[in-house]
């Protein structure tokens, strides 16, 4: 590829990344009765771009949302109502699964709020649907945990300064909705709804259960809590919460239900409890799946030796869902990235039949798996269909074609809700009939001869009624207009915020032109008055004044933990980043290096060995640097069949004149940094370093404070030694969201270099 082609490709990539997170409005259609239809286009990490249809009554100055893309879907009130959430708000049907309406307490575009960008802040409903848990951000890394009581429209601040999360509010409801457990600052706390209703909530310090995160607990179907700490599994009966927690300093919370042969690490491990509480399925490090019998005392036994099932997963694989029926059948759904593409796997173990090993099914493209309420059937979600299987035999019973389904929800043993990119529908079994609940997107929209709103999607035509859209085959959409006797509407370009343009309304009678809705808040960082000097041989940052760009750099040193979630997150956001690989990482994890080579990310060198180059025992001259770089090049090529980029940095970012001279002579560019997250510092790094140790949420806030246009921000892959309490790469989505909201594009280092020139 010639230089001109490369330059054009870089500009195209920049255009893609700079547009990410922006919302654009289009397809204005104004009726003679001053009803306006318009489309909003947005991009959602993990879902891609989608459109939403709105109607505005210009006389009443009201906006109504007509389509509802299901970024998140859940059933509440015992399956009576469906709740959908996306970047435009939180919405709920009535008991008949009709009349989708926004929940007023939560920010909604139709209520005058700004459209969210990046990943949405997930709301968690209680199983009975009476309460909602959510996070209210107070800074970049922290939030307040809030509880909303539906019906009484009351809000309660449950806890202050909890760690921000985009995967949910770091809380887990009991099945009967009487309790939830949340984590904060490395501690677990319980909260009682009965105490809330009785106005007798005790202080948080008396509700502590012990150290851990939300990954340290699981609820049983009997509303008992299982809590893993160290190598012990505790069972806590919910009526004992108050007594056990208030005397936590005197004895352990709960009683010992069993033991595991490992120390539990809540940053990387997880577990599931059998429905009858007799066994635990333990996931060590995301790779090793063990099944253990829960036995409080394993010193004396009956003399029998038991062989237990075990499953070894590749490191590029994560467990997406675990289904464990009361009959003793376990099904694991896994998700892998292979050559940049998703591939799923299904593994089954029938304990009731005495099976001692997991067996893999032939399904490699299932996206989700949901067990029916009576546990006789399961529904499998694929890109183009939904399959019903007998859960015991796993044989196919029926298959239903469905365009791009996203979520499956069993409403009853004979009713299944399928929420997809085109529509959300109720499937009634065994008839196989579909009923529309809500349209997710539209293809075309307009007014018919009577002035009713008509839309098309997937070859079907729908007319808007009071309860929602109803079939309207044969309805014809009239030509679009942008003017009535009283108004004209048009699109105006908008710079400096999360909207690419604005819908403008010109009131012909009152001689006034105004936007249809509020302008977004201008959160973008200002550019400095002048540029900083840029050294292209020791490239530590890009231009400060030309573009609002930042490079995320990932250093792979010796440990692979965190790589899989990093790759998943970058793929969800469509980001191309820069990775630096050390020789030790190549030798220890060749398959991970191969996956990186196939991932389309930029791969540079982190030298042949990882050591402190300031150590007087080593003579670090130009020849030493050249040999180390050449050795790493050769090892990378032998492992992947590809060449490293001519980018590198030394271990610990050490640099001197010999390093720069050797880089030049080998046509390498030394890549430094202008932000040090300090994510490599551990609690055991020594007295001086201990003063700099911070939890991941504080590190995230440090990065946001110190970053500038052109910054290079490095993140460490893998576990530290000794280990940290939490890791920054688990909060990568929050960091990316914050940068996007401040107007930054995430680009590889070479793009920073290109634009600096």
């Amino acid at each position: 590829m010639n230089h001109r082609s490369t330059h054009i490709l870089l500009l195209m990539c920049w255009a893609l990344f700079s547009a990410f997170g922006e919302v654009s409005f289009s397809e204005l259609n104004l009726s003679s009765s001053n009803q306006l239809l318009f489309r909003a286009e947005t991009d959602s990490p993990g879902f891609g771009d989608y459109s939403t249809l709105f109607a505005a009554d210009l006389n009443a100055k009201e906006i109504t949302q007509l389509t509802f893309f299901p970024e998140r879907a859940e059933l509440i009130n015992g399956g009576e109502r469906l709740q959908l959430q996306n970047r435009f708000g939180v919405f709920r049907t009535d008991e008949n699964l009709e009349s989708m309406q926004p929940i007023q307490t939560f920010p909604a575009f139709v209520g005058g709020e700004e459209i969210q960008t990046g990943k949405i802040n997930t709301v968690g409903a209680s199983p009975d649907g009476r309460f909602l848990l959510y996070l209210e951000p107070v800074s970049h890394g922290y939030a307040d945990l809030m509880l909303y009581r539906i019906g009484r429209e009351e809000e309660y601040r449950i806890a202050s300064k909890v760690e921000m999360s985009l995967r949910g509010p770091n809380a887990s409801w009991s099945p009967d909705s009487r309790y939830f457990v949340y984590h904060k600052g490395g501690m677990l706390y319980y909260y009682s709804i009965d105490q809330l209703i009785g106005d007798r909530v005790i202080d948080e310090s008396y509700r502590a259960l012990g150290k851990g995160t939300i990954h340290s607990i699981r609820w049983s179907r009997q509303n008992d809590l299982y809590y893993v700490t160290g190598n012990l599994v505790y069972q806590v009966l919910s009526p004992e919460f108050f007594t056990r927690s208030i005397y936590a300093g005197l004895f352990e919370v709960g009683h010992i239900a069993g033991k595991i042969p490992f120390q539990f690490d809540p940053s990387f491990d997880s577990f599931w409890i059998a429905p009858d509480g007799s066994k635990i399925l333990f996931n060590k490090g995301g790779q090793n799946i063990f099944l253990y019998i829960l036995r409080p005392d394993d010193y004396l036994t009956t003399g029998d030796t038991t062989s237990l099932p075990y499953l070894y997963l590749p490191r590029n694989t994560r467990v997406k869902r675990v289904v464990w029926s009361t009959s003793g059948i376990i099904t694991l759904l896994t998700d892998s990235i292979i050559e940049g593409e998703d591939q799923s796997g299904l593994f089954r173990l029938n304990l009731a039949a005495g099976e001692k090993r997991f067996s893999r099914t032939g399904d490699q493209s299932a996206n989700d798996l949901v067990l029916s309420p009576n546990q006789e059937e399961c529904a499998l979600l694929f890109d183009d269909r939904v399959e019903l299987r007998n859960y015991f035999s796993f044989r196919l019973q029926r298959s239903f074609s469905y365009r791009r389904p996203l979520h499956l929800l069993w409403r009853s043993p004979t009713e299944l809700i399928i929420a997809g990119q085109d529509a959300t529908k109720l499937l009634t079994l065994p008839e196989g009939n579909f009923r529309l609940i809500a349209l997710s997107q539209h293809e075309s929209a307009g007014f018919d001869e009577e002035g009713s709103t008509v839309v098309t999607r997937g070859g079907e035509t729908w007319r808007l009624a009071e309860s929602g859209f109803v079939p309207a085959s044969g309805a014809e959409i009239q030509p679009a207009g942008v003017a009535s006797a009283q108004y004209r509407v048009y699109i105006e370009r908008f710079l400096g915020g999360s909207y690419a343009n604005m819908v403008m309304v010109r009131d012909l009678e009152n001689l006034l032109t105004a936007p249809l809705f509020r302008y977004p808040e201008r959160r973008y960082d200002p550019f400095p008055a002048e540029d900083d000097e840029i050294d292209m041989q020791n490239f530590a940052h890009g231009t400060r004044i030309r573009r609002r760009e930042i490079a995320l750099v990932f250093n792979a040193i010796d440990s692979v933990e965190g790589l899989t979630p990093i790759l998943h997150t970058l793929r969800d956001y469509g980001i191309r980043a820069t990775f630096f690989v050390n020789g030790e990482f190549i030798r220890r994890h060749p398959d991970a290096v191969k996956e990186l080579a196939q991932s389309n990310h930029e791969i540079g060198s982190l030298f042949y060995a990882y050591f402190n180059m300031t150590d007087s025992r080593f003579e670090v001259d130009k020849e030493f640097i050249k040999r180390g770089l050449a050795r790493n090049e050769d090892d990378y090529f032998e492992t992947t069949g590809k060449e490293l980029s001519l980018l590198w940095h030394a271990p610990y970012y050490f640099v001197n004149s010999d390093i720069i001279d050797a880089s030049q002579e080998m046509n390498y560019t030394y890549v430094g940094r202008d932000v040090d997250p300090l994510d490599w510092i551990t609690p055991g790094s020594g007295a001086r370093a201990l003063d700099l140790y911070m939890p991941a949420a504080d590190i995230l806030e440090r990065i946001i404070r110190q970053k500038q246009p052109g910054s290079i921000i490095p993140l460490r892959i893998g576990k530290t030694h000794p280990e940290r309490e939490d890791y920054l790469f688990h909060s990568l989505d929050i960091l990316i969201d914050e940068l996007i909201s401040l107007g930054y594009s995430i680009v590889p280092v070479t793009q920073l270099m290109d634009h600096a020139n």
Side-chain angles (χ1 to χ4, degrees):
M1 184 181 292
N2 60 39
H3 177 74
R4 182 175 179 273
S5 298
T6 303
H7 186 68
I8 292 174
L9 178 61
L10 286 172
L11 289 177
M12 290 173 62
C13 291
W14 174 80
L16 170 67
F17 295 130
S18 64
F20 189 91
E22 286 188 346
V23 181
S24 63
F25 303 96
S26 62
E27 297 185 11
L28 305 187
N29 191 347
L30 181 62
S31 73
S32 59
S33 59
N34 299 324
Q35 303 299 307
L36 173 66
L37 297 177
F38 64 96
R39 177 197 297 257
E41 294 275 356
T42 187
D43 205 338
S44 171
F47 297 101
D49 62 308
Y50 67 84
S51 64
T52 299
L53 180 64
F54 293 91
D57 185 331
L58 299 188
N59 295 326
K61 294 181 170 51
E62 293 180 348
I63 299 178
T64 304
Q65 187 165 331
L66 302 182
T67 61
F68 305 88
F69 189 89
E71 293 191 43
R72 182 175 171 83
E74 55 189 331
L75 281 169
I76 57 174
N77 287 82
E80 286 185 349
R81 297 170 182 249
L82 174 67
Q83 181 172 293
L84 301 180
Q85 184 181 0
N86 57 35
R87 57 207 56 255
F88 299 96
V90 182
F91 309 90
R92 178 172 290 184
T93 68
D94 60 18
E95 294 85 350
N96 298 316
L97 298 181
E98 297 176 344
S99 302
M100 188 76 71
Q101 297 294 328
I103 301 178
Q104 298 301 325
T105 297
F106 295 94
F109 176 64
V110 296
E113 299 297 327
E114 185 176 338
I115 299 170
Q116 295 183 56
T117 57
K119 286 188 178 179
I120 59 173
N121 187 358
T122 303
V123 173
S126 62
D128 63 8
R130 295 190 302 150
F131 296 90
L132 298 176
L133 275 173
Y134 61 98
L135 293 174
E136 186 176 273
V138 296
S139 64
H140 301 295
Y142 291 97
D144 288 346
L145 180 62
M146 306 295 294
L147 181 70
Y148 173 64
R149 190 174 182 181
I150 298 170
R152 299 187 62 166
E153 319 307 325
E154 295 174 343
E155 286 184 292
Y156 309 92
R157 195 173 310 277
I158 303 302
S160 299
K161 201 179 181 183
V162 302
E163 293 83 352
M164 187 63 192
S165 170
L166 296 176
R167 292 176 289 278
N170 285 330
S172 179
W173 284 97
S174 64
D176 63 3
S177 302
R178 294 181 59 191
Y179 301 92
F180 61 84
V181 174
Y182 64 93
H183 85 240
K184 165 186 169 180
M187 290 290 294
L188 288 162
Y189 301 88
Y190 83 89
Y191 195 91
S192 167
I193 296 299
D194 291 340
Q195 290 178 1
L196 172 69
I197 294 174
D199 195 24
R200 49 189 175 85
V201 177
I202 62 176
D203 187 81
E204 185 179 66
S205 61
Y206 294 106
R207 292 185 279 109
L209 295 174
K211 292 184 177 180
T213 73
I214 206 67
H215 303 293
S216 305
I217 61 143
R218 289 278 178 183
W219 291 97
S220 74
R221 299 187 184 186
Q222 294 75 35
N223 298 293
D224 298 332
L225 186 73
Y226 285 84
Y227 163 51
V228 180
T229 178
N231 70 333
L232 298 177
V233 182
Y234 288 93
Q235 182 185 15
V236 188
L237 306 181
S238 52
E240 299 177 330
F241 277 152
F242 175 75
T243 304
R244 294 284 185 174
S245 60
I246 204 167
Y247 293 109
L250 301 178
F251 53 84
E252 292 288 350
V253 173
H255 68 272
I256 297 175
K259 301 174 183 177
I260 53 177
F262 305 101
Q263 292 292 309
F264 182 76
D265 183 348
S267 294
F268 299 97
D269 302 340
S270 56
F271 70 96
W272 299 265
I273 297 292
D276 63 1
S278 64
K279 301 176 185 67
I280 182 172
L281 189 68
F282 182 63
N283 182 357
K284 183 63 180 173
Q287 184 178 22
N288 299 279
I289 311 294
F290 300 90
L291 182 75
Y292 295 111
I293 298 171
L294 286 178
R295 190 179 288 132
D297 188 358
D298 56 2
Y299 184 73
L300 293 176
T301 69
T302 60
D304 296 332
T305 300
T306 304
S307 176
L308 296 172
Y310 166 74
L311 181 65
Y312 179 77
L313 296 174
R315 286 214 182 253
N316 69 336
T317 300
R318 60 179 179 176
V319 177
K320 190 174 183 179
R321 188 179 293 278
V322 172
V323 173
W324 198 334
S325 69
T326 54
S327 61
I329 302 175
I330 303 173
T331 305
L332 275 71
L333 174 66
T334 64
D335 184 26
S336 307
I337 295 182
I338 300 176
E339 296 184 2
E341 300 294 330
D342 266 339
Q343 181 173 300
S344 65
L346 281 167
F347 301 87
R348 283 172 53 86
L349 174 67
N350 190 338
L351 297 172
E355 292 181 357
K356 296 298 184 182
R357 61 192 298 263
F358 287 90
S359 59
R360 182 166 188 168
T361 72
D363 306 285
Q364 294 190 7
S365 57
N367 297 321
D368 206 355
L369 167 75
V370 185
L371 190 63
S372 66
N374 61 13
Q375 302 192 16
E376 294 179 2
E377 294 178 302
C378 64
L380 265 69
L381 183 150
F382 296 85
D383 288 338
D384 59 353
R385 68 192 186 280
V386 173
E387 292 185 357
L388 295 184
R389 306 271 185 104
N390 178 284
Y391 189 65
F392 185 81
S393 66
F394 217 60
R395 290 195 182 97
L396 176 66
Q397 294 180 319
R398 298 185 69 180
S399 180
F400 298 90
S401 296
Y402 205 95
R403 286 188 62 189
R404 298 180 292 179
L406 299 172
H407 309 287
L408 295 174
L409 300 165
W410 285 96
R411 195 185 190 205
S412 72
T414 59
E415 293 180 309
L416 181 66
I417 293 175
I418 308 174
Q421 292 195 30
D422 284 354
T424 297
K425 296 183 179 181
L426 175 68
L427 171 60
T428 303
L429 303 169
E431 295 87 354
N433 297 328
F434 283 96
R435 175 168 73 86
L436 180 71
I437 299 174
L439 284 176
S440 304
Q441 301 186 79
H442 71 288
E443 289 168 355
S444 60
F447 304 101
D448 62 11
E449 290 183 346
E450 288 75 33
S452 297
T453 300
V454 176
V455 303
T456 64
R457 185 69 185 181
E460 297 178 288
T461 304
W462 309 85
R463 180 181 285 111
L464 184 63
E466 286 189 11
S467 60
F469 283 103
V470 296
S473 59
E476 294 185 4
I477 297 176
Q478 301 300 302
V482 293
S484 68
Q486 186 175 349
Y487 299 101
R488 288 204 305 268
V489 293
Y490 63 98
I491 296 291
E492 182 174 81
R493 189 182 179 192
F494 177 68
L495 298 176
S498 58
Y499 297 173
N501 52 28
M502 288 293 290
V503 179
M504 305 298 295
V505 179
R506 182 158 290 161
D507 188 331
L508 303 178
E509 294 181 1
N510 296 308
L511 305 179
L512 176 67
T513 300
L516 180 63
F517 39 83
R518 290 193 316 174
Y519 285 98
E521 179 185 356
R522 292 177 179 267
R523 296 185 62 203
Y524 288 6
D525 283 350
F527 286 109
E530 58 183 27
D531 211 346
D532 289 344
E533 183 178 350
I534 298 174
D535 184 349
M536 298 304 295
Q537 299 303 321
N538 181 7
F539 189 77
H541 62 81
T543 177
R544 304 294 194 194
I545 61 174
R546 297 180 194 171
R547 300 174 188 269
R548 209 175 269 108
E549 294 178 334
I550 278 177
L552 292 180
V553 164
F554 298 91
N555 292 321
I557 299 169
D558 55 8
S559 177
V560 77
E561 286 83 7
L563 178 60
T564 296
I566 288 170
L567 292 176
H568 277 282
T569 301
L570 294 176
R571 185 202 53 194
D572 286 347
Y573 284 90
I575 289 174
R576 185 168 180 253
T578 302
F579 287 77
F580 288 95
V581 293
N582 178 254
E584 192 61 33
F585 188 86
I586 296 173
R587 292 184 287 276
R588 291 188 186 187
H589 310 290
D591 287 339
V593 177
K594 291 176 186 176
E595 183 58 43
L596 279 175
Q598 297 289 335
S599 67
N600 197 38
H601 292 292
E602 188 170 74
I603 315 298
S605 177
L606 189 46
F607 206 61
Y608 169 68
Y610 202 80
F611 67 100
N612 184 358
M613 289 187 174
T614 64
D615 194 318
S616 59
R617 294 175 297 172
F618 303 101
E619 184 179 347
V620 180
D621 56 17
K622 288 199 300 182
E623 288 305 312
F624 179 84
I625 297 298
K626 290 181 179 180
R627 288 195 303 271
L629 286 173
R631 177 67 182 273
N632 213 36
E633 281 182 18
D634 295 343
D635 286 356
Y636 182 81
F637 179 79
E638 289 176 6
T639 301
T640 67
K642 296 190 175 185
E643 299 288 354
L644 284 170
S645 299
L646 294 178
L647 304 173
W648 87 288
H649 70 80
Y652 303 101
Y653 284 90
F654 176 71
V655 65
N656 61 21
S657 58
D658 282 342
I659 285 176
I660 297 301
D661 291 344
S663 302
Q664 286 184 279
E665 292 175 16
M666 295 186 69
N667 289 325
Y668 269 88
T669 297
Y670 190 92
V671 178
R673 63 186 176 185
D674 62 338
V675 175
D676 182 0
L678 303 180
D679 61 340
W680 49 273
I681 293 180
T682 71
S685 298
R688 182 172 178 273
L690 184 59
D691 294 336
L692 300 175
Y693 178 80
M694 293 178 287
D698 286 349
I699 292 177
L700 191 148
E701 299 207 327
R702 170 188 168 87
I703 292 173
I704 298 300
R705 285 196 308 269
Q706 294 190 351
K707 57 92 189 74
Q708 300 179 68
S711 282
I712 296 175
I713 303 171
L715 284 78
R716 192 187 197 280
I717 297 173
K719 290 184 177 182
T720 57
H721 302 286
E723 294 183 20
R724 292 179 49 85
E725 294 178 2
D726 56 15
Y727 290 85
L728 180 60
F729 51 71
H730 284 143
S731 302
L732 177 60
D733 53 353
I734 302 175
L735 174 60
I736 293 174
D737 259 21
E738 289 295 315
L739 293 174
I740 289 173
S741 71
L742 295 170
Y744 287 94
S745 301
I746 316 297
V747 301
V749 168
T750 51
Q751 193 161 326
L752 281 188
M753 296 169 63
D754 184 69
H755 293 159
N757 281 323

